[in-house]
Amino acid sequence: PIIEILGFINSICENKNVKTIIIANEDEINYKNKSNDKNETYKRFKEKVIGKSFIIHNDNESYWKSFEEKYSSKLKKYEIIINIIQSTFERSGNKNYRNLIQTTDDYIDFTKKIKSNYLDNDEFIERLSEQFYTLSLEYKKEHNIDSVLESLKQDNSGFYYSLIFDTDIWKMIITSCYNSYDELNELISSLPIFNRKEDESWQKLWHYR
């Protein structure tokens, strides 16, 4: 209970002369009452005990620099997909950096099982990374992959109908239940991305003028 915590902190500050740092979301502390009335307990405690307060803001630029240092050597085609990862996180990540790290580790483990020559294809890895990060970050918010897919179908049909794998396969991939990687690699090999026929020279010249 908040009163016991604040009482304990007050005791060690005043009686034990212990310097204490409190890291907290003050908005959540202030509005914990069931009656929805503002809780004045913390306010009175703060005025009496807390000497200095600091507001901490996210430093996105520094964070993405450290992210790049950590993962640039682990992610295939990193220079291509970093912008996709960042934009997808800003759109779907709910500012939860822990989920981003978990998703990135999952993505690395997942792509280790995919043949390297497929990951060398720029178009394929762009689509794969965007779809993996979007589905995974949305899934980590509500832990219901069926709900995630249904929401995308309703609100972002262009994305939903361009999924490179069947929804049943994506469900298993995102929930870490997929292990048929031989079949997956065979499926990837049959994707239109890897089966486009080169136009004959006469076809290229047909509309030359």
Side-chain angles (χ1 to χ4, degrees), residues 19 24 75 84 89 93 107 120 123 132 136 150 157 180 200:
K19 295 186 183 297
L75 287 165
I84 294 173
F89 175 71
Y107 176 81
D120 285 333
E123 182 182 350
F132 186 97
S136 183
E150 185 60 30
S157 58
S180 303
E200 297 288 343

Side-chain angles (χ1 to χ4, degrees), residues 31-67:
Y31 291 92
K32 279 293 185 180
N33 277 2
K34 292 181 180 179
S35 61
N36 291 325
D37 294 329
K38 188 171 182 179
N39 190 342
E40 295 293 330
T41 303
Y42 174 72
K43 184 177 179 182
R44 292 196 304 272
F45 168 83
K46 182 176 179 179
E47 292 172 351
K48 181 180 178 182
V49 178
I50 296 178
K52 293 182 181 179
S53 294
F54 302 91
I55 298 175
I56 300 173
H57 299 284
N58 289 333
D59 184 354
N60 283 338
E61 185 176 348
S62 295
Y63 177 80
W64 286 106
K65 283 182 180 178
S66 66
F67 184 90

Side-chain angles (χ1 to χ4, degrees), residues 197-208:
K197 292 183 178 180
E198 183 75 16
D199 286 343
E200 297 288 343
S201 57
W202 68 268
Q203 292 174 314
K204 295 178 180 179
L205 289 168
W206 188 259
H207 299 288
Y208 173 73

Side-chain angles (χ1 to χ4, degrees), residues 81-92:
I81 67 172
I82 178 56
N83 291 330
I84 294 173
I85 294 172
Q86 187 170 353
S87 62
T88 303
F89 175 71
E90 290 171 354
R91 184 174 63 252
S92 305

Side-chain angles (χ1 to χ4, degrees), residues 184-200:
L184 186 69
N185 279 294
E186 188 174 343
L187 174 61
I188 293 171
S189 70
S190 67
L191 292 174
I193 296 173
F194 299 104
N195 291 278
R196 290 175 181 148
K197 292 183 178 180
E198 183 75 16
D199 286 343
E200 297 288 343

Side-chain angles (χ1 to χ4, degrees), residues 127 131 135 149 158-167 170:
R127 293 179 63 185
Q131 292 175 18
L135 293 171
L149 289 165
F159 177 89
Y160 178 85
Y161 287 108
S162 66
L163 291 173
I164 55 179
F165 304 132
D166 183 84
T167 54
W170 271 121

